[in-house]
Amino acid sequence: MSSKAKKEWIGGLVLLLLIGFVGTSMFGYETVKAAMNAAYVPLSHKEPMSEEALKEGKPLSALLITENQEHISFIHMTVNKEDSDVHMTNIPTASILKERTQSTEQLVNNAEQTLGVPIDYYVMINQKNLKTIVDKLDGIIVNNPTLFTHDERTFPAGEVKLNGEETLAYLQPVHEQDVLSAHDRQILVAKAIVKQVATIPTFTKAKPILNELSNTVQTNLTFDDLSLMRKHYKAAFASVTKQEFPKTEAEVQQLTSKLQQKLQLS
């Protein structure tokens, strides 16, 4: 994977780490830090990784939660610098979302029980807010890799201009097995938003967009955590492995063993 692609995946941890994706060069360090920290909501049942652990590049585990209209999806990530690998697993919604009114704390607990491994960080993204952002930007242009149809809309391969409503449809998984591809489309949308924001001539006009982005994300990652990750975890993004959640109990046990090894728990 090229260095450019590595940065995209690292930036992919906020819209997957969208606020960090915007960059301090555009808005200034303190402004971006304040916006990121506005999205910070800790987990009460555990402490985040220490600064020392992040500086050492210790393996970490993260849950990516994406809400899009009535659909919610879950992707688990292990990031292991020694293996030079990021492992992503699409977890069936029914395995985690037992009730519609569950708290983030409960969702993380359910994911830990389903996978059999602890989770250090979560990132929750409410894509509904993106409609407002994209419309304020007068649309975005994404470089769509593959033609597909969803919700009676066809998205051709190549450059596609999207308004806010079309962006929500573009990001929504077509089916349960499309969650990982929808995650890839989310990164394309993040890049397109950043590119469009860069065309705004003045900081005063651009700042409301950054504030809106901070309302899109909830996470127990701080700006300082993200800064350390960007610095110390580059080697982990040499490879990205994706898999669907296994169907049999024996295969689930194999997955748990694999994740425990990647997190150096066994």
Side-chain angles (χ1 to χ4, degrees):
M1 183 177 292
S2 69
S3 60
K4 179 180 178 182
K6 290 178 189 177
K7 290 177 182 177
E8 289 170 5
W9 278 103
I10 293 170
L13 275 174
V14 158
L15 191 52
L16 304 165
L17 298 175
L18 180 55
I19 299 171
F21 220 112
V22 169
T24 57
S25 60
M26 189 180 303
F27 296 106
Y29 178 90
E30 292 300 331
T31 301
V32 175
K33 182 176 181 178
M36 257 275 325
N37 288 343
Y40 175 72
V41 179
L43 295 172
S44 63
H45 75 285
K46 65 172 58 186
E47 292 293 325
M49 293 178 67
S50 66
E51 180 179 345
E52 291 74 18
L54 291 173
K55 285 182 177 179
E56 292 175 13
K58 295 289 187 182
L60 63 85
S61 174
L63 181 66
L64 312 178
I65 307 168
T66 304
E67 292 183 277
N68 185 317
Q69 299 181 31
E70 296 303 312
H71 185 273
I72 185 168
S73 62
F74 303 90
I75 294 176
H76 178 258
M77 292 179 68
T78 62
V79 183
N80 188 310
K81 185 174 71 173
E82 292 183 8
D83 286 352
S84 299
D85 180 62
V86 171
H87 185 274
M88 306 179 71
T89 306
N90 171 27
I91 313 173
T93 301
S95 298
I96 300 182
L97 189 64
K98 311 295 184 181
E99 300 173 9
R100 188 65 193 178
T101 56
Q102 284 181 295
S103 67
T104 305
E105 199 95 21
Q106 291 171 316
L107 295 177
V108 173
N109 281 329
N110 290 347
E112 290 178 327
Q113 293 172 14
T114 298
L115 296 166
V117 295
I119 291 172
D120 302 300
Y121 297 103
Y122 78 91
V123 180
M124 178 180 286
I125 299 150
N126 186 340
Q127 293 180 339
K128 289 185 292 186
N129 291 346
L130 293 180
K131 179 181 184 299
T132 302
I133 294 171
V134 172
D135 285 337
K136 283 182 177 179
L137 292 170
D138 295 324
I140 57 173
I141 297 176
V142 298
N143 191 8
N144 185 40
T146 306
L147 178 146
F148 71 97
T149 299
H150 180 53
D151 195 22
E152 299 183 350
R153 289 184 174 94
T154 297
F155 299 96
E159 288 193 352
V160 181
K161 184 166 185 179
L162 305 173
N163 61 26
E165 193 66 39
E166 291 166 340
T167 298
L168 291 185
Y170 181 74
L171 289 171
Q172 189 165 359
V174 178
H175 45 72
E176 188 70 38
Q177 286 70 44
D178 186 49
V179 170
L180 290 167
S181 294
H183 169 268
D184 292 342
R185 296 198 293 273
Q186 186 166 248
I187 293 177
L188 293 176
V189 166
K191 291 168 60 181
I193 288 174
V194 171
K195 185 175 181 179
Q196 191 67 14
V197 168
T199 67
I200 299 176
T202 65
F203 171 79
T204 303
K205 292 182 178 179
K207 188 175 180 180
I209 301 294
L210 181 62
N211 292 336
E212 194 72 40
L213 292 178
S214 67
N215 294 330
T216 300
V217 180
Q218 176 181 312
T219 181
N220 64 331
L221 274 161
T222 66
F223 180 82
D224 291 338
D225 292 335
L226 176 58
S227 298
L228 289 171
M229 287 181 186
R230 291 174 67 91
K231 183 176 181 179
H232 298 287
Y233 284 81
K234 291 181 181 180
F237 291 83
S239 170
V240 178
T241 305
K242 304 177 186 178
Q243 76 168 80
E244 296 295 330
F245 196 78
K247 299 184 182 301
T248 69
E249 185 174 341
E251 290 172 334
V252 172
Q253 291 175 350
Q254 290 175 358
L255 172 63
T256 296
S257 296
K258 179 192 294 185
L259 297 180
Q260 289 175 343
Q261 289 174 358
K262 288 186 172 297
L263 294 172
Q264 298 179 353
L265 300 174
S266 59

